[in-house]
Amino acid sequence: MRCPFCSHENSQVKDSRPAEDGAAIRRRRQCEDCGARFTTFERVQLRDLTIVKAGNRRESFDRVKLERSIAIACRKRPVAPERIDRLVSSIQRQVETSGESEIPSSEIGEMVMAGLKALDPVAYIRFASVYKDFREARDFEEFAGAVSEAGGEPD
């Protein structure tokens, strides 16, 4: 494993342990050249997945991108990083086990919406404002009002 600090080719594993409820292995490594320590994760990848974006653009599934968008929605909210990680792992498992090699980005967006709805209402509304492309403050107000009145997602 290449060192992210000095780009040296070799590093030594100092500690390994299961992560993400056994779906990954977390390894603490130390660079043999500069001595810096860093963490890596090993995950099983069942198949190469392609995300079909708007306008039929295609890109590879990127777990880090998914995790980052959920973390942004949860920023400054009382949501533990482990819960975000579990949500990302759950969505990734659903996508990988769907049997499809191409999946529309809208399906992933709906999975994220459902997960955030159960996780945190403010994060859910934040994500929805970007995902549903709110144009005006009124759109935001209507969505938030419908969520608080119904205790769930608006129609």
PDB file of all heavy atoms in Angstrom, residues 1 13 17 26 37 39-40 43 68 74 85 124 128 136 145:
ATOM      1  N   MET A   1       0.854  -1.176   0.000  1.00  0.00           N
ATOM      2  CA  MET A   1       0.000   0.000   0.000  1.00  0.00           C
ATOM      3  C   MET A   1       0.893   1.230   0.000  1.00  0.00           C
ATOM      4  O   MET A   1       1.785   1.360   0.832  1.00  0.00           O
ATOM      5  CB  MET A   1      -0.894  -0.028   1.241  1.00  0.00           C
ATOM      6  CG  MET A   1      -1.773   1.167   1.437  1.00  0.00           C
ATOM      7  SD  MET A   1      -3.044   1.480   0.235  1.00  0.00           S
ATOM      8  CE  MET A   1      -4.009   0.001   0.300  1.00  0.00           C
ATOM      9  N   VAL A  13       1.493  -3.341   8.187  1.00  0.00           N
ATOM     10  CA  VAL A  13       0.223  -3.380   8.907  1.00  0.00           C
ATOM     11  C   VAL A  13       0.520  -3.513  10.391  1.00  0.00           C
ATOM     12  O   VAL A  13       1.200  -4.435  10.822  1.00  0.00           O
ATOM     13  CB  VAL A  13      -0.660  -4.554   8.417  1.00  0.00           C
ATOM     14  CG1 VAL A  13      -1.924  -4.652   9.258  1.00  0.00           C
ATOM     15  CG2 VAL A  13      -0.994  -4.399   6.957  1.00  0.00           C
ATOM     16  N   ARG A  17      -8.693  -5.044  12.181  1.00  0.00           N
ATOM     17  CA  ARG A  17      -9.910  -5.399  12.916  1.00  0.00           C
ATOM     18  C   ARG A  17     -11.103  -5.267  11.977  1.00  0.00           C
ATOM     19  O   ARG A  17     -11.071  -4.505  11.028  1.00  0.00           O
ATOM     20  CB  ARG A  17     -10.088  -4.557  14.157  1.00  0.00           C
ATOM     21  CG  ARG A  17     -10.263  -3.082  13.908  1.00  0.00           C
ATOM     22  CD  ARG A  17     -10.395  -2.314  15.195  1.00  0.00           C
ATOM     23  NE  ARG A  17      -9.153  -2.407  15.926  1.00  0.00           N
ATOM     24  CZ  ARG A  17      -8.874  -1.787  17.035  1.00  0.00           C
ATOM     25  NH1 ARG A  17      -9.755  -1.002  17.566  1.00  0.00           N
ATOM     26  NH2 ARG A  17      -7.721  -1.925  17.643  1.00  0.00           N
ATOM     27  N   ARG A  26     -10.572  -2.992   8.729  1.00  0.00           N
ATOM     28  CA  ARG A  26      -9.863  -1.737   8.971  1.00  0.00           C
ATOM     29  C   ARG A  26      -8.432  -2.084   9.325  1.00  0.00           C
ATOM     30  O   ARG A  26      -8.180  -2.891  10.215  1.00  0.00           O
ATOM     31  CB  ARG A  26     -10.535  -0.985  10.120  1.00  0.00           C
ATOM     32  CG  ARG A  26      -9.837   0.281  10.527  1.00  0.00           C
ATOM     33  CD  ARG A  26     -10.537   0.852  11.773  1.00  0.00           C
ATOM     34  NE  ARG A  26      -9.944   2.069  12.201  1.00  0.00           N
ATOM     35  CZ  ARG A  26      -8.906   2.167  13.028  1.00  0.00           C
ATOM     36  NH1 ARG A  26      -8.349   1.083  13.527  1.00  0.00           N
ATOM     37  NH2 ARG A  26      -8.414   3.334  13.373  1.00  0.00           N
ATOM     38  N   ARG A  37       1.621   7.131  10.020  1.00  0.00           N
ATOM     39  CA  ARG A  37       0.579   6.112  10.191  1.00  0.00           C
ATOM     40  C   ARG A  37      -0.677   6.552   9.454  1.00  0.00           C
ATOM     41  O   ARG A  37      -1.012   7.733   9.432  1.00  0.00           O
ATOM     42  CB  ARG A  37       0.272   5.891  11.666  1.00  0.00           C
ATOM     43  CG  ARG A  37       1.405   5.182  12.368  1.00  0.00           C
ATOM     44  CD  ARG A  37       1.040   4.881  13.802  1.00  0.00           C
ATOM     45  NE  ARG A  37       2.133   4.126  14.404  1.00  0.00           N
ATOM     46  CZ  ARG A  37       1.976   3.010  15.067  1.00  0.00           C
ATOM     47  NH1 ARG A  37       0.778   2.502  15.253  1.00  0.00           N
ATOM     48  NH2 ARG A  37       3.001   2.380  15.578  1.00  0.00           N
ATOM     49  N   THR A  39      -4.794   4.832   7.907  1.00  0.00           N
ATOM     50  CA  THR A  39      -5.787   3.768   7.978  1.00  0.00           C
ATOM     51  C   THR A  39      -6.282   3.431   6.582  1.00  0.00           C
ATOM     52  O   THR A  39      -6.515   4.325   5.765  1.00  0.00           O
ATOM     53  CB  THR A  39      -6.989   4.217   8.837  1.00  0.00           C
ATOM     54  OG1 THR A  39      -6.515   4.564  10.139  1.00  0.00           O
ATOM     55  CG2 THR A  39      -8.033   3.123   8.968  1.00  0.00           C
ATOM     56  N   THR A  40      -6.460   2.134   6.313  1.00  0.00           N
ATOM     57  CA  THR A  40      -7.060   1.688   5.062  1.00  0.00           C
ATOM     58  C   THR A  40      -8.229   0.768   5.391  1.00  0.00           C
ATOM     59  O   THR A  40      -8.304   0.214   6.491  1.00  0.00           O
ATOM     60  CB  THR A  40      -6.050   0.932   4.171  1.00  0.00           C
ATOM     61  OG1 THR A  40      -5.576  -0.214   4.871  1.00  0.00           O
ATOM     62  CG2 THR A  40      -4.889   1.822   3.777  1.00  0.00           C
ATOM     63  N   ARG A  43     -12.845  -3.839   1.449  1.00  0.00           N
ATOM     64  CA  ARG A  43     -14.239  -4.224   1.314  1.00  0.00           C
ATOM     65  C   ARG A  43     -14.389  -5.186   0.151  1.00  0.00           C
ATOM     66  O   ARG A  43     -13.675  -5.087  -0.833  1.00  0.00           O
ATOM     67  CB  ARG A  43     -15.119  -3.003   1.020  1.00  0.00           C
ATOM     68  CG  ARG A  43     -15.205  -2.038   2.145  1.00  0.00           C
ATOM     69  CD  ARG A  43     -16.082  -0.835   1.783  1.00  0.00           C
ATOM     70  NE  ARG A  43     -16.102   0.118   2.865  1.00  0.00           N
ATOM     71  CZ  ARG A  43     -15.184   1.051   3.053  1.00  0.00           C
ATOM     72  NH1 ARG A  43     -14.191   1.175   2.238  1.00  0.00           N
ATOM     73  NH2 ARG A  43     -15.280   1.860   4.089  1.00  0.00           N
ATOM     74  N   ARG A  68     -19.748  10.983   1.401  1.00  0.00           N
ATOM     75  CA  ARG A  68     -19.536  12.431   1.547  1.00  0.00           C
ATOM     76  C   ARG A  68     -20.862  13.192   1.454  1.00  0.00           C
ATOM     77  O   ARG A  68     -21.124  14.085   2.254  1.00  0.00           O
ATOM     78  CB  ARG A  68     -18.553  12.920   0.482  1.00  0.00           C
ATOM     79  CG  ARG A  68     -18.182  14.371   0.605  1.00  0.00           C
ATOM     80  CD  ARG A  68     -17.100  14.818  -0.378  1.00  0.00           C
ATOM     81  NE  ARG A  68     -17.350  14.389  -1.739  1.00  0.00           N
ATOM     82  CZ  ARG A  68     -16.553  13.571  -2.432  1.00  0.00           C
ATOM     83  NH1 ARG A  68     -15.452  13.100  -1.899  1.00  0.00           N
ATOM     84  NH2 ARG A  68     -16.852  13.233  -3.668  1.00  0.00           N
ATOM     85  N   CYS A  74     -25.686  15.500   7.090  1.00  0.00           N
ATOM     86  CA  CYS A  74     -25.707  15.269   8.547  1.00  0.00           C
ATOM     87  C   CYS A  74     -24.779  16.200   9.321  1.00  0.00           C
ATOM     88  O   CYS A  74     -24.676  16.091  10.545  1.00  0.00           O
ATOM     89  CB  CYS A  74     -25.326  13.815   8.846  1.00  0.00           C
ATOM     90  SG  CYS A  74     -26.516  12.618   8.238  1.00  0.00           S
ATOM     91  N   ASP A  85     -21.916   5.457   8.360  1.00  0.00           N
ATOM     92  CA  ASP A  85     -21.194   4.354   7.732  1.00  0.00           C
ATOM     93  C   ASP A  85     -22.120   3.153   7.502  1.00  0.00           C
ATOM     94  O   ASP A  85     -22.077   2.523   6.447  1.00  0.00           O
ATOM     95  CB  ASP A  85     -19.997   3.966   8.604  1.00  0.00           C
ATOM     96  CG  ASP A  85     -18.967   3.191   7.836  1.00  0.00           C
ATOM     97  OD1 ASP A  85     -18.646   3.584   6.705  1.00  0.00           O
ATOM     98  OD2 ASP A  85     -18.490   2.171   8.379  1.00  0.00           O
ATOM     99  N   TYR A 124     -32.474  14.781   6.474  1.00  0.00           N
ATOM    100  CA  TYR A 124     -33.394  14.357   5.422  1.00  0.00           C
ATOM    101  C   TYR A 124     -33.843  15.552   4.582  1.00  0.00           C
ATOM    102  O   TYR A 124     -33.797  15.528   3.346  1.00  0.00           O
ATOM    103  CB  TYR A 124     -34.589  13.657   6.078  1.00  0.00           C
ATOM    104  CG  TYR A 124     -35.752  13.343   5.178  1.00  0.00           C
ATOM    105  CD1 TYR A 124     -35.626  12.443   4.126  1.00  0.00           C
ATOM    106  CD2 TYR A 124     -36.990  13.924   5.399  1.00  0.00           C
ATOM    107  CE1 TYR A 124     -36.709  12.139   3.315  1.00  0.00           C
ATOM    108  CE2 TYR A 124     -38.072  13.624   4.594  1.00  0.00           C
ATOM    109  CZ  TYR A 124     -37.928  12.730   3.554  1.00  0.00           C
ATOM    110  OH  TYR A 124     -38.995  12.429   2.756  1.00  0.00           O
ATOM    111  N   ALA A 128     -32.908  16.411   0.724  1.00  0.00           N
ATOM    112  CA  ALA A 128     -34.035  16.579  -0.201  1.00  0.00           C
ATOM    113  C   ALA A 128     -33.955  17.906  -0.941  1.00  0.00           C
ATOM    114  O   ALA A 128     -34.304  17.989  -2.114  1.00  0.00           O
ATOM    115  CB  ALA A 128     -35.352  16.472   0.558  1.00  0.00           C
ATOM    116  N   GLU A 136     -36.819  27.721  -4.778  1.00  0.00           N
ATOM    117  CA  GLU A 136     -37.197  28.887  -3.978  1.00  0.00           C
ATOM    118  C   GLU A 136     -37.347  28.483  -2.519  1.00  0.00           C
ATOM    119  O   GLU A 136     -37.537  27.310  -2.217  1.00  0.00           O
ATOM    120  CB  GLU A 136     -38.532  29.457  -4.478  1.00  0.00           C
ATOM    121  CG  GLU A 136     -38.504  29.908  -5.911  1.00  0.00           C
ATOM    122  CD  GLU A 136     -39.874  30.364  -6.398  1.00  0.00           C
ATOM    123  OE1 GLU A 136     -40.782  30.532  -5.556  1.00  0.00           O
ATOM    124  OE2 GLU A 136     -40.012  30.539  -7.605  1.00  0.00           O
ATOM    125  N   GLY A 145     -42.670  21.638   5.994  1.00  0.00           N
ATOM    126  CA  GLY A 145     -43.969  21.645   6.639  1.00  0.00           C
ATOM    127  C   GLY A 145     -44.688  20.324   6.483  1.00  0.00           C
ATOM    128  O   GLY A 145     -45.271  19.795   7.425  1.00  0.00           O
TER     129      GLY A 145
END
